């Protein structure tokens, strides 16, 4: 009951007619080409967002101040966001029924809203102030994180879509692996590999791959263990790195992690619209 | 010869003793979620790989990070790009392994490989030729023409790799459909399971 058709049932007839009217009817024959533009915009947005937020975490382009990194990525970030939104709307008008009935689309739209708030309301202003949160950023962060939480919640309960949450978990695991250093990184990686080995053993050795009665609850427990491990390592990195290398304080760093992951969750939900 | 190898890869490797036991390739292609996760990760890794390589190329073109030395961008950003590339190739190889014959006889997949090769050669040329005298233009807001040319080739080839990669999902030139002669030849449809139907022969 979380697809757009459940939330906005009254607009059903309007949605049904979208692909027969301008611009949906004109876009439809060139759906694949517009999809390519959507993906290219996503790549641009992703690259810019990753560099900006990694700098706030205290990694990546550390030779430059966060404000300098912001200046470098801003035009491309804007272009990526405009491209994603514009091509997304056009693709949507040419394929409206699919999106209207998709729970993954709800997660995607929530992710998009959270991504815009966390990027333009938190990450960019914090980078402009070289890692310090401004007065309005606290409110933006609270709203952005709230909507991001809602996006993850919808993603987690959406039928046939929730396996896509693994993309977010994998991305979080890899970001933490990239930013941690020394012994923390080694211990963290060892823990991750142990979890992967456990998961493989459960799926291939202890139970059969199609034994969903056992694997479903086991996977849910495993997700929680993965999350706890990743969050613990991220918290350790946030606390132990302090304000070194002119990055952000603990709150900014935590929000920078979220500002990357929210775009991953949005893109993952978008991809899983096709799979469900 | 390549096709024979792929047939063996798709149908024999990892096959159980029973007549209907699947091979590893068939098993991977028929999984409930693993294939979707691989495909999703392949697409999402573009955010890391293509996103960061575009920004490096923009610096070489003098379109961004003009005050940052090229060496700094390369040293700090390219590790992320390489990591994204490894992720993309790993998931790409597994996706190919799940349906090797489908991709082998796919025009877009073949074009994708061609431009992957172009991009790889461009990286090689940049690494061993273009940036030999990088110290001389490391801090230049607008690097020399050879660096800008390399960046342009890089951007265009990756855009084409992404474009053709996306087009693989569409059956515009699927073997077994009436196709122009050149398309049947380019995809070796005649030896595919679906065979080749020549559009010009049909319209005669």
């Amino acid at each position: 009951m979380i697809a757009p058709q459940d939330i906005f049932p009254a607009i059903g007839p309007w949605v049904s007619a979208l692909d027969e009217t301008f611009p949906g009817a004109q876009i439809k024959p060139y759906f694949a080409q517009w999809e390519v533009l959507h993906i290219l915009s996503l790549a641009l947005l992703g690259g810019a967002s990753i560099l900006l937020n990694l700098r706030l975490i205290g990694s990546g382009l550390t030779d430059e101040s966060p404000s300098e990194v912001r200046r470098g990525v801003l035009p491309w970030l804007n272009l990526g966001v405009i491209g994603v939104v514009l091509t997304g709307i056009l693709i949507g008008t040419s394929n409206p029924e699919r999106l209207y009935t998709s729970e993954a689309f709800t997660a995607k739209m929530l992710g998009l809203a959270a991504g815009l708030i966390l990027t333009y309301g938190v990450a960019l202003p914090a980078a402009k102030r070289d890692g310090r949160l401004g007065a309005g950023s606290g409110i933006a962060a609270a709203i952005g994180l709230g909507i991001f939480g809602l996006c993850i919640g919808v993603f987690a309960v959406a039928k046939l879509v929730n396996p896509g949450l693994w993309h977010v978990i994998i991305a979080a695991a890899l970001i933490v692996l990239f930013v941690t250093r020394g012994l923390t990184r080694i211990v963290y990686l060892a823990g991750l590999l142990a979890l992967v080995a456990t998961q493989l053993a459960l799926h291939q050795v202890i139970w059969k791959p199609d034994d969903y009665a056992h694997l479903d609850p086991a996977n849910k427990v495993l997700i929680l263990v993965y999350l706890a491990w990743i969050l613990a390592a991220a918290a350790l990195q946030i606390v132990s790195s302090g304000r070194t290398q002119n990055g952000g304080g603990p709150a900014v760093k935590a929000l920078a992690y979220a500002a990357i992951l929210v775009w991953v969750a949005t893109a993952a939900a978008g991809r899983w619209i096709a799979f469900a | 010869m390549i096709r024979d190898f792929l047939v063996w890869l798709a149908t024999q490797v990892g096959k159980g003793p029973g007549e209907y036991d699947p091979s590893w390739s068939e098993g991977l292609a028929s999984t409930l979620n693993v294939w979707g996760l691989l495909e999703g990760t392949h697409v999402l890794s573009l955010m890391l790989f293509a996103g960061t390589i575009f920004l490096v190329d923009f610096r070489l073109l003098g379109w961004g990070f003009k005050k940052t030395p090229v060496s700094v961008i390369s040293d700090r950003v390219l590790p992320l790009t390489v990591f994204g590339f490894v992720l993309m190739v790993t998931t790409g190889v597994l996706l190919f392994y799940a349906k090797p014959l489908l991709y082998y006889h796919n025009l877009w997949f073949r074009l994708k490989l061609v431009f992957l090769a172009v991009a790889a050669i461009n990286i090689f040329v940049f690494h061993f030729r273009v940036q030999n005298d990088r110290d001389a233009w490391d801090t230049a807001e607008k690097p020399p023409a050879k660096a800008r040319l390399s960046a342009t080739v890089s951007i265009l080839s990756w855009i084409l790799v992404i474009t053709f990669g996306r087009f693989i999902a569409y059956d515009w030139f699927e073997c077994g459909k009436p196709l122009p002669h050149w398309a049947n030849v380019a995809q070796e449809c005649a030896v595919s399971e679906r065979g080749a139907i020549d559009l010009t022969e049909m319209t005669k």
Side-chain angles (χ1 to χ4, degrees), chain A residues 38 41-42 45-46 49 77-90 92 99 103-121 140 143-152 154-155 168 258-270 273, chain B residues 47:
Chain A
H38 195 62
S41 303
L42 180 70
L45 158 63
S49 174
L77 183 65
N78 288 339
L79 189 64
V81 168
I82 291 167
V84 160
V85 172
L86 193 67
T87 56
I89 290 170
L90 292 174
L99 305 182
E103 295 177 334
F105 183 67
T106 306
K108 179 174 174 161
M109 288 302 100
L110 289 168
L112 175 65
L116 291 174
I117 294 169
L118 288 173
T119 299
Y120 287 95
I143 296 170
L145 287 177
I147 300 175
F148 184 26
L150 211 54
C151 159
I152 295 294
V154 170
F155 211 157
V168 186
I260 298 177
L261 291 176
V262 70
W263 289 119
V264 175
T266 308
I273 291 170
Chain B
M47 291 170 79

Side-chain angles (χ1 to χ4, degrees), chain A residues 31-33 35-36 39-40 42-44 46-48 50-51 54 60-64 68-69 72-73 76 160 163-164 166-167 170 174 178 212 263-264 267-268 271-272 275, chain B residues 32-33 35-41 43-44 46-48 50-52 54-55 58 63-65 67-69 72-73 76-77 79-80 83 87 158-159 162-163 166-167 170 172:
Chain A
F31 185 85
Q33 289 82 347
E35 248 189 333
V36 168
I39 293 170
L40 289 173
L42 180 70
L44 205 51
I50 287 167
L51 287 192
L54 278 182
L61 277 166
T62 47
D63 305 68
E64 302 290 337
E68 198 59 43
V69 174
V73 300
W76 308 110
L160 300 172
W166 281 106
H167 293 303
I170 292 167
L174 294 178
F178 185 78
Y212 302 122
W263 289 119
V264 175
R271 195 67 208 107
W272 279 74
F275 298 149
Chain B
L32 182 63
N33 293 315
W35 195 88
L37 282 170
L38 283 174
E39 207 267 2
T41 306
V43 175
L44 290 186
L46 283 174
M47 291 170 79
L48 179 60
T52 52
F54 285 161
L55 290 170
F58 293 158
W63 292 356
F65 287 105
K67 307 284 181 205
T68 310
V72 169
I73 294 282
R76 298 294 185 187
V77 180
L80 286 163
F83 187 79
L87 197 60
W158 289 119
I159 286 176
I162 292 167
T163 303
R166 188 58 251 169
F167 285 1
Y170 294 87
W172 303 318

Side-chain angles (χ1 to χ4, degrees), chain A residues 89-109:
Chain A
I89 290 170
L90 292 174
I91 290 171
T93 58
S94 68
N95 188 29
E97 289 284 359
R98 180 94 185 238
L99 305 182
Y100 191 52
T101 55
S102 166
E103 295 177 334
F105 183 67
T106 306
K108 179 174 174 161
M109 288 302 100

Side-chain angles (χ1 to χ4, degrees), chain A residues 120-214:
Chain A
Y120 287 95
V122 181
L124 284 168
K128 194 175 185 180
R129 293 162 161 262
D130 279 326
R132 288 181 302 279
L133 281 177
S137 293
I139 298 166
I143 296 170
L145 287 177
I147 300 175
F148 184 26
L150 211 54
C151 159
I152 295 294
V154 170
F155 211 157
V157 299
K159 289 185 287 289
L160 300 172
V161 170
N162 43 16
L165 264 184
W166 281 106
H167 293 303
V168 186
I169 293 167
I170 292 167
L174 294 178
I175 296 167
V176 175
L177 184 64
F178 185 78
V179 300
T180 48
R181 294 282 176 269
L183 186 63
T184 308
R185 180 186 264 179
I186 293 167
V187 173
Y188 170 68
L189 180 60
L192 272 186
L193 292 175
L195 280 169
V196 171
T198 306
Q199 194 172 10
L200 282 174
L202 289 176
H203 280 246
Q204 302 293 335
V205 182
I206 298 171
W207 293 304
K208 288 183 176 176
D210 58 355
D211 186 356
Y212 302 122
H214 283 109

Side-chain angles (χ1 to χ4, degrees), chain B residues 13-162:
Chain B
V13 178
K15 185 173 167 57
E19 189 183 353
Y20 298 107
D21 287 342
S23 65
W24 285 340
S25 169
E26 291 159 342
L28 181 58
S30 62
T31 52
L32 182 63
N33 293 315
V34 176
W35 195 88
L37 282 170
L38 283 174
E39 207 267 2
T41 306
H42 191 63
V43 175
L44 290 186
S45 60
L46 283 174
M47 291 170 79
L48 179 60
F49 167 69
T52 52
I53 205 164
F54 285 161
L55 290 170
V56 173
D57 289 334
F58 293 158
R59 172 63 188 94
L60 289 172
L61 286 165
W63 292 356
F65 287 105
K66 291 180 188 173
K67 307 284 181 205
T68 310
V70 172
S71 57
V72 169
I73 294 282
S74 295
D75 294 348
R76 298 294 185 187
V77 180
L78 284 183
L80 286 163
T81 312
V82 170
F83 187 79
F85 185 71
V86 170
L87 197 60
M88 210 173 65
V89 169
T90 307
T91 50
V93 167
L94 287 169
L95 288 171
F96 177 79
Y97 177 61
K99 300 170 184 176
L101 291 167
L102 184 90
Y103 294 121
Y104 180 69
H105 292 290
N106 186 292
L107 180 69
W108 303 115
F109 180 76
R110 289 178 174 215
L111 282 169
K112 178 178 175 171
L113 288 189
V114 168
F115 284 94
L116 260 175
V118 171
I121 292 166
N122 184 55
I123 290 170
F124 187 81
V125 171
F126 181 82
H127 193 75
F128 291 103
R129 289 285 175 90
V130 176
Q131 69 166 9
N132 274 350
D133 61 344
R134 192 177 67 186
D135 290 347
W137 44 269
D138 195 27
T139 54
E141 287 195 4
K142 192 175 178 182
K146 60 181 181 179
R148 283 182 278 131
L149 177 66
S150 183
T152 307
V153 172
S154 168
I155 290 173
L156 289 178
S157 7
W158 289 119
I159 286 176
L160 288 172
V161 167
I162 292 167

